[in-house]
Amino acid sequence: MGIQKTRNAVQGVMALVLLYEGYQFYLFSRHFKTLGEAPFVPRPPAVEAFLPISALVSLKSWISLGIFDTVHPAGLVIFIAIMGTALFFQRPFCAWLCPVGLLAEGFWKAGKRALGKNPRMPKAADHALMAVKYLILFFFLWVILIKMPGEATFAFANAPYNKVVDVKMLDFWIEPSSAVIKATIVIVALSIVFKNFWCRYLCPYGALLGMLGRFAPLRVKRHESECIHCSLCTKNCPGFIDVENCDTVTSVDCIKCLTCIEKCPKPEALDIRAGKHIVKPLHLAALFLALFFLIIIIAKLTGHWHSSVAYEEYAVLIPQADFFSH
Ligand code: SF4
Ligand code: SF4
């Protein structure tokens, strides 16, 4: 199987697992909302992956007070796994695991089939829009990591609102307001026309991974002596990186999708290196996945995965989840 087929298969499996976990969480929530009439289903901790703000608050609490979150520990573990892997590999999370990345790729590919090509955003608009995800990221980093006192982060993590924030998130998507529906339609339409619209312009998670990935030793390298300047790498890069004219790809937009390497007709022209050590493309993906899931396995084995919120507490909080706000 080629690199892109392998990548899409990994993305697909991950998306199916998350869909299954999401459905289990829906059943879990329904049990409490129907006051016990619907059957009980255990809460799948992996849904906490969709609570990055809560995870950032928990991270601050852990750093400043030394207390590892017990309300959404899986959310913090997944956050650490995503950030930790970025330090070594840049952003393969975006290309190999993120379900939003999979959706975004599906949208622009559908758009390409329907329209013949995905137009480029005009340069000025591209630069201006690129700032949006950094502004969102810096806002949250400033408010949570800088301004919020450690005690306040602990209080937030253990407040009723945070205990049911996952239920509120689910409700947000299964009973969307008209504003949410309109915003989603606009973003989907733009994602069909423009390549990776959400990831490139709006995702603060991707912005943070790109910044952490600046330190990553493993990089795509081009060898001028082998390159025939066919431009296939540049033309096919979803991050619009001019690979053909790079010696080493240092861009924060490289998501390690490895498309450039697969499309390159000269086997020696592009490779992945850390210093002088060459890593085969699929070995890089395997190393990334191994480290990511190793962190999760360690968390499970050391009791940092399941929430400490008791059944009785959920029975009180979930039926009144709509009334909690931060
Ligand atoms: S430089 Fe290569 S690996 Fe990086 S995003 Fe572009 S195509 Fe993917
Ligand atoms: S695809 Fe390979 S040969 Fe073609 S320009 Fe890129 S690095 Fe050079």
Side-chain angles (χ1 to χ4, degrees):
M1 206 193 289
I3 297 171
Q4 296 313 306
K5 284 206 170 121
T6 308
R7 186 172 70 78
N8 291 150
V10 173
Q11 283 177 308
V13 169
M14 189 68 181
L16 286 176
V17 169
L18 286 174
L19 269 178
Y20 174 76
E21 300 267 30
Y23 183 60
Q24 295 295 300
F25 185 67
Y26 164 74
L27 296 177
F28 164 84
S29 167
R30 197 157 155 261
H31 168 75
F32 293 103
K33 286 197 167 168
T34 59
L35 304 178
E37 269 183 38
F40 175 72
V41 170
R43 181 179 176 280
V47 294
E48 293 168 18
F50 295 95
L51 307 174
I53 296 170
S54 175
L56 191 59
V57 173
S58 302
L59 181 69
K60 167 80 188 266
S61 183
W62 189 33
I63 292 167
S64 56
L65 304 175
I67 301 169
F68 200 93
D69 183 23
T70 59
V71 173
H72 297 306
L76 179 54
V77 168
I78 293 166
F79 190 77
I80 290 169
I82 295 171
M83 299 303 132
T85 48
L87 288 171
F88 293 96
F89 305 104
Q90 282 181 292
R91 298 171 52 186
F93 175 79
C94 302
W96 289 79
L97 288 181
C98 179
V100 183
L102 175 66
L103 270 180
E105 193 175 335
F107 286 140
W108 71 256
K109 283 185 174 168
K112 191 176 178 184
R113 271 195 294 276
L115 307 169
K117 67 172 191 167
N118 300 104
R120 274 299 302 265
M121 185 70 74
K123 233 179 191 159
D126 184 57
H127 288 321
L129 284 169
M130 290 271 273
V132 175
K133 65 181 183 217
Y134 291 104
L135 289 175
I136 300 170
L137 172 67
F138 288 130
F139 170 77
F140 284 114
L141 292 181
W142 171 254
V143 169
I144 296 170
L145 292 187
I146 310 287
K147 294 298 277 180
M148 211 168 169
E151 293 72 21
T153 57
F154 182 76
F156 176 94
N158 290 279
Y161 169 80
N162 192 47
K163 286 180 179 172
V164 291
V165 71
D166 42 9
V167 174
K168 290 173 79 68
M169 173 74 87
L170 178 71
D171 294 346
F172 179 87
W173 286 112
I174 57 179
E175 293 159 15
S177 64
S178 63
V180 170
I181 294 172
K182 283 178 199 157
T184 306
I185 290 172
V186 169
I187 290 173
V188 169
L190 288 167
S191 302
I192 289 171
V193 177
F194 297 106
K195 218 179 239 189
N196 288 328
F197 183 84
W198 171 267
C199 310
R200 186 166 177 81
Y201 301 125
L202 301 179
C203 179
Y205 228 136
L208 182 55
L209 293 184
M211 284 164 54
L212 292 173
R214 301 287 308 188
F215 303 100
L218 283 158
R219 305 229 166 239
V220 175
K221 252 192 149 329
R222 190 184 62 89
H223 304 282
E224 181 64 31
S225 56
E226 300 291 332
C227 178
I228 56 168
H229 288 283
C230 65
S231 303
L232 282 173
C233 50
T234 298
K235 274 187 199 146
N236 285 287
C237 174
F240 303 108
I241 299 166
D242 188 8
V243 184
E244 182 184 357
N245 292 305
C246 293
D247 285 336
T248 303
V249 175
T250 55
S251 169
V252 291
D253 295 318
C254 178
I255 55 173
K256 288 280 170 46
C257 64
L258 311 175
T259 309
C260 52
I261 293 181
E262 189 164 55
K263 293 284 180 187
C264 180
K266 293 280 286 176
E268 310 276 298
L270 288 176
D271 58 27
I272 297 172
R273 285 174 187 248
K276 287 196 170 145
H277 300 285
I278 299 176
V279 177
K280 287 189 179 160
L282 286 179
H283 289 185
L284 171 113
L287 283 170
F288 156 67
L289 292 169
L291 180 60
F292 184 86
F293 288 107
L294 180 69
I295 293 170
I296 289 174
I297 290 167
I298 291 172
K300 286 187 177 184
L301 294 176
T302 55
H304 294 90
W305 188 248
H306 290 280
S307 175
S308 63
V309 180
Y311 178 98
E312 293 73 21
E313 203 171 353
Y314 278 130
V316 173
L317 294 177
I318 290 179
Q320 35 177 343
D322 286 348
F323 301 109
F324 297 121
S325 63
H326 52 86

